[in-house]
Amino acid sequence: MEEKKFDLNSIIGFVLIFGILIWIMYQNQPSDKEIAAEKAKKELVAKQGAQAKADKTKTAVLPVAAVTPGDTVQLAQLQKTLGGFAYSATLPTAKEGFTTLENDKIKLKIANKGGYIVEATLKEFERFEKGSKQLVELIKDNNSNLNIELQTTDNRTLNSKDLFFEPTLTKVGADQVLSMRLKAGANEFLEYKYILKPNDYLVGFDIRSQGLNKVLNSAKPLDLQWDLKTYRNEKSVSIEKRFAEIQYEYDDEKYNYVSPNGVGKEETPEKVSYIAFKQHFFTTILSTDKPFATSKLQSDDLVKDEKIDTAFIKQFRAIIPLAFSNGEIDYKMSWYFGPADYKTLKSYDKNFQKIIPLGWGIFGWINQWIFIPLFGFLSSYIAYGIAIIIFTIIIKLAMSPITYKSFLSQAKMKVLRPEITELGEKFKKDPMKKQQETMKLYNKAGVNPMAGCIPALIQLPFMYASFQFFPSAFELRQKSFLWADDLSSFDAVVKLPFHIPLYGDHISLFPILAAIAIFFYMKMTSGDQQMAAPQQEGMPDMAKMMKIMIYVSPLMMLIFFNSYGAGLSLYNFISNLITIGIMFVIKNYIVDTDKIHAQIQENKLKEPKKQSKFQQRLQEVMEQQEATKAQNKKK
């Protein structure tokens, strides 16, 4: 077979062809002017297309400007696109316009087009910080929509948000009543009725139809679509995002929520009595006297990067089918636009207060029946920062007997440690025997090795309850204390020019003080805990673990509490200071180790206490294992 040779001429040819192609591509590359011209041309075409689309939509939905009432020709033309609701487009109010409802607490702006609230302003609260002069606006600039998808008998699908409602504002006593009617005839309409009372956050909201049984297809419910893109109102984006979620009551006072961190998270609860689009300290709630048979709720996180996404927090959506009754719609509902404040929400007697995250089980019970009443009483008489301090003192003093019990148990174990160590040396080669003899020693001395753990476990629910209570306490919002201008937000004393992962771009002082207090508390108690808990064979070295925790716990406090509210950090700082003080008094003035030692020695001479069922069972298990071990050796 002939060997292939290296063909230099072929290679030169290929190189020349490749060079020519590159030269042609370079020569045909458009200039900067040509690129700019082409870009402008594309933008113009896109703009013209969008304008044409908008004009087409406008012509299809809003041909009302040229309509004259009573003009049957134009009415016939409108009926081609709007069907039975063409009548609404012939009314004088079929144009852009707004009606305002206002009391001392809220201001609402309702549009003719769509008949829904396009602005909801809370007149008593400011965004971000006190003195910002930016009122909290839950609804503004098209961040919310309310729409009913209308299925007509002539197979049309119309959206109420695109149609014009006729407003009629009246007063019934001191109440303002606004009727917004989407008309299909003089006495045929779909009505939204808003009722605003003086000095109230709750707005009556009724949806009903009249004479539309021949206009609307009543074979299936009408879908009420409600969505809200929540504005950021607090300093910390991360904390506001954490507490923003859809919450709802369903099936006769059961309560649940759509996962706060779920992107595109969806729930489909049934028999829903209210739906809350909750932000951190404010909320919008739609409640109904007649529960919604079904619903579809969805939450989307709008904060992907906390340094960039700072305008909006969450996108909430709800689709609620409204069922027909005798061919008509009739729902009596209400809107709540206001603070997510426990006392305010509870005053409406609609279980609205359940949207406040107080914790489940015993944690919620502690918050509801101890923390909220006690702190509410204190804060009604004294400044909020001082109220937190006194509140903390009361809680810690109430828990001091438990602290005493825990320390007393540690002291007893500390006295017994030499004898336990001696047993460990004596039965070094027989761990089972060592355990049995240790248990006998505990029984003779009248010492329960678990006595120190139980008091600590009792204190844990109170600690966890505080982590739920303070971040949810609306009363602390924009209340100052010392250097903290807002106890509900972080107390930054230094603004960093960079962002530290998990920590933030600022340094808060109260978490530093709390971390220092935790360090000294653990330093003070770790020695006693190590002495009270002798090293067990096969178990982790608790002494080494405690040495590590002395430094890890304060570090965790610094990292995780830097962006939390100053009120929580203040509580932890004072709590640890008081605990240090209580432990110092107990250790130096109450507990006498010599007396404990004498008492233990005296107990040894007495008849051993009867073992508990648990101790008896444990003893039996040990003896069975010992017997099994002995039999195995004989074999």
Side-chain angles (χ1 to χ4, degrees):
M1 189 176 189
E2 186 178 358
E3 183 181 355
K4 290 187 178 179
K5 297 182 179 180
F6 183 77
D7 191 350
L8 182 62
N9 292 330
S10 298
I11 293 176
I12 294 173
F14 280 122
V15 169
L16 289 174
I17 292 171
F18 181 74
I20 292 170
L21 289 173
I22 294 296
W23 180 80
I24 293 173
M25 291 173 63
Y26 178 81
Q27 288 296 319
N28 287 288
Q29 184 178 1
S31 65
D32 291 341
K33 289 184 178 180
E34 290 173 332
I35 293 172
E38 182 64 20
K39 183 178 180 182
K41 183 179 178 181
K42 288 181 179 179
E43 289 177 351
L44 179 61
V45 171
K47 186 176 180 181
Q48 289 174 343
Q51 185 63 43
K53 185 177 180 180
D55 291 341
K56 183 179 179 180
T57 304
K58 186 175 179 181
T59 302
V61 180
L62 305 174
V64 300
V67 176
T68 303
D71 191 326
T72 56
V73 176
Q74 290 181 325
L75 180 61
Q77 292 177 344
L78 289 171
Q79 286 175 338
K80 294 179 181 180
T81 55
L82 303 181
F85 289 104
Y87 181 87
S88 65
T90 67
L91 301 175
T93 53
K95 58 185 178 182
E96 296 288 350
F98 305 93
T99 305
T100 300
L101 299 179
E102 185 173 4
N103 62 19
D104 293 337
K105 295 186 177 296
I106 60 176
K107 180 180 179 181
L108 306 177
K109 191 175 179 182
I110 297 95
N112 288 359
K113 186 178 180 181
Y116 61 93
I117 298 169
V118 293
E119 288 184 13
T121 305
L122 305 184
K123 301 168 70 174
E124 299 175 311
F125 306 105
E126 294 177 297
R127 300 178 69 198
F128 306 129
E129 58 187 3
K130 194 172 183 179
S132 68
K133 297 182 180 179
Q134 299 181 53
L135 292 178
V136 172
E137 296 175 288
L138 299 179
I139 300 176
K140 68 169 184 175
D141 298 336
N142 299 316
N143 74 315
S144 179
N145 283 299
L146 186 76
N147 177 60
I148 294 181
E149 195 173 80
L150 303 169
Q151 304 292 334
T152 66
T153 53
D154 56 357
N155 295 321
R156 299 177 191 274
T157 300
L158 302 174
N159 291 305
S160 64
K161 67 179 181 179
D162 296 328
L163 305 176
F164 285 105
F165 287 63
E166 182 182 54
T168 304
L169 180 61
T170 57
K171 292 201 73 174
V172 179
D175 300 347
Q176 302 170 59
V177 180
L178 174 63
S179 171
M180 303 292 293
R181 292 183 174 180
L182 173 61
K183 291 191 169 183
N187 296 306
E188 301 167 353
F189 53 81
L190 174 69
E191 181 185 46
Y192 296 164
K193 182 184 285 186
Y194 300 90
I195 305 169
L196 180 62
K197 298 179 179 179
N199 200 39
D200 203 346
Y201 296 110
L202 198 67
V203 184
F205 179 60
D206 299 344
I207 298 181
R208 73 182 184 97
S209 65
Q210 179 176 301
L212 296 183
N213 53 338
K214 294 182 179 180
V215 178
L216 295 178
N217 180 6
S218 59
K220 63 178 183 177
L222 299 179
D223 282 343
L224 176 67
Q225 302 164 351
W226 172 37
D227 62 79
L228 176 69
K229 188 160 67 169
T230 65
Y231 282 103
R232 173 188 163 209
N233 290 309
E234 313 304 328
K235 286 198 297 185
S236 175
V237 176
S238 60
I239 298 300
E240 188 164 6
K241 181 179 72 171
R242 186 175 302 168
F243 286 95
E245 58 189 3
I246 299 178
Q247 304 193 19
Y248 56 91
E249 185 184 61
Y250 72 105
D251 196 16
D252 195 18
E253 299 189 4
K254 291 181 182 178
Y255 169 79
N256 210 335
Y257 62 92
V258 179
S259 176
N261 297 319
V263 178
K265 180 71 175 179
E266 185 176 285
E267 299 284 347
T268 55
E270 298 179 351
K271 299 180 182 179
V272 176
S273 51
Y274 72 70
I275 299 168
F277 287 174
K278 182 185 175 294
Q279 297 165 244
H280 187 182
F281 285 124
F282 300 96
T283 185
T284 304
I285 305 175
L286 177 63
S287 64
T288 176
D289 293 347
K290 180 173 64 176
F292 304 126
T294 60
S295 61
K296 184 185 294 184
L297 310 176
Q298 184 175 331
S299 174
D300 292 286
D301 191 351
L302 300 180
V303 180
K304 309 302 180 186
D305 186 337
E306 293 180 7
K307 293 178 288 184
I308 300 173
D309 305 324
T310 58
F312 299 99
I313 302 297
K314 292 287 181 73
Q315 173 72 61
F316 297 139
R317 298 181 183 88
I319 299 177
I320 307 161
L322 302 179
F324 284 90
S325 177
N326 298 322
E328 302 289 358
I329 294 291
D330 189 7
Y331 279 82
K332 293 189 180 300
M333 300 182 284
S334 60
W335 292 107
Y336 175 87
F337 300 99
D341 173 52
Y342 184 87
K343 293 179 182 177
T344 303
L345 293 170
K346 189 176 181 180
S347 67
Y348 290 103
D349 197 27
K350 291 177 176 285
N351 291 327
F352 287 167
Q353 73 275 7
K354 288 185 178 180
I355 72 170
I356 306 299
L358 299 179
W360 55 272
I362 189 173
F363 313 117
W365 186 91
I366 291 171
N367 277 321
Q368 185 176 356
W369 299 107
I370 300 177
F371 283 10
I372 289 176
L374 177 59
F375 187 75
F377 173 77
L378 294 172
S379 61
S380 62
Y381 293 100
I382 52 180
Y384 284 92
I386 302 299
I388 291 175
I389 294 173
I390 296 177
F391 170 84
T392 310
I393 292 172
I394 293 172
I395 295 296
K396 295 307 292 184
L397 287 178
M399 302 293 289
S400 58
I402 297 175
T403 305
Y404 169 75
K405 287 280 188 182
S406 179
F407 187 82
L408 182 62
S409 176
Q410 290 178 16
K412 289 180 178 180
M413 294 290 291
K414 183 179 178 181
V415 170
L416 283 177
R417 182 180 176 98
E419 296 182 54
I420 295 173
T421 303
E422 185 180 339
L423 289 174
E425 291 295 325
K426 185 177 179 180
F427 300 103
K428 183 184 294 185
K429 296 182 179 181
D430 193 346
M432 186 65 67
K433 187 67 174 176
K434 173 188 169 184
Q435 289 289 344
Q436 290 175 342
E437 293 301 319
T438 302
M439 292 297 293
K440 288 179 182 178
L441 175 63
Y442 287 150
N443 192 37
K444 283 183 180 180
V447 174
N448 184 355
M450 298 298 295
C453 300
I454 295 172
L457 291 175
I458 293 174
Q459 296 183 69
L460 281 176
F462 286 83
M463 181 181 68
Y464 181 80
S466 70
F467 292 148
Q468 297 291 113
F469 171 72
F470 284 101
S472 302
F474 182 85
E475 305 97 308
L476 299 180
R477 187 177 187 269
Q478 297 181 358
K479 299 299 189 300
S480 61
F481 179 66
L482 298 178
W483 57 84
D485 57 3
D486 186 348
L487 286 168
S488 72
S489 187
F490 52 81
D491 58 311
V493 291
V494 176
K495 180 70 175 178
L496 300 175
F498 48 84
H499 185 273
I500 302 175
L502 300 178
Y503 187 72
D505 58 358
H506 62 274
I507 298 175
S508 298
L509 185 52
F510 274 129
I512 294 176
L513 295 176
I516 293 172
I518 287 177
F519 175 80
F520 282 105
Y521 165 69
M522 297 193 71
K523 194 80 172 175
M524 176 182 178
T525 59
S526 62
D528 292 326
Q529 291 173 350
Q530 292 168 27
M531 290 293 291
Q535 174 66 23
Q536 300 290 329
E537 188 174 339
M539 297 296 290
D541 190 338
M542 296 303 296
K544 290 182 179 179
M545 291 182 65
M546 288 304 301
K547 286 180 181 179
I548 294 172
M549 290 304 297
I550 288 174
Y551 299 98
V552 170
S553 295
L555 183 62
M556 291 174 64
M557 170 64 74
L558 284 175
I559 293 174
F560 293 109
F561 282 75
N562 189 60
S563 294
Y564 262 84
L568 179 60
S569 298
L570 173 60
Y571 171 82
N572 280 280
F573 170 54
I574 299 299
S575 177
N576 284 293
L577 279 184
I578 295 170
T579 304
I580 289 172
I582 291 173
M583 293 295 289
F584 179 82
V585 171
I586 291 174
K587 186 175 183 179
N588 293 280
Y589 298 100
I590 297 178
V591 174
D592 189 331
T593 54
D594 292 334
K595 286 185 178 180
I596 292 173
H597 183 268
Q599 182 65 49
I600 288 176
Q601 298 307 317
E602 185 180 337
N603 289 341
K604 287 181 182 180
L605 300 175
K606 296 178 181 178
E607 192 72 24
K609 290 183 179 180
K610 186 179 180 181
Q611 291 182 328
S612 66
K613 290 184 178 180
F614 173 76
Q615 289 175 322
Q616 291 176 3
R617 180 60 181 161
L618 185 61
Q619 184 72 22
E620 290 173 2
V621 170
M622 288 182 177
E623 290 174 356
Q624 288 174 1
Q625 290 179 345
E626 188 70 20
T628 303
K629 185 177 179 181
Q631 289 178 358
N632 291 336
K633 283 184 178 180
K634 290 180 180 180
K635 292 178 180 180

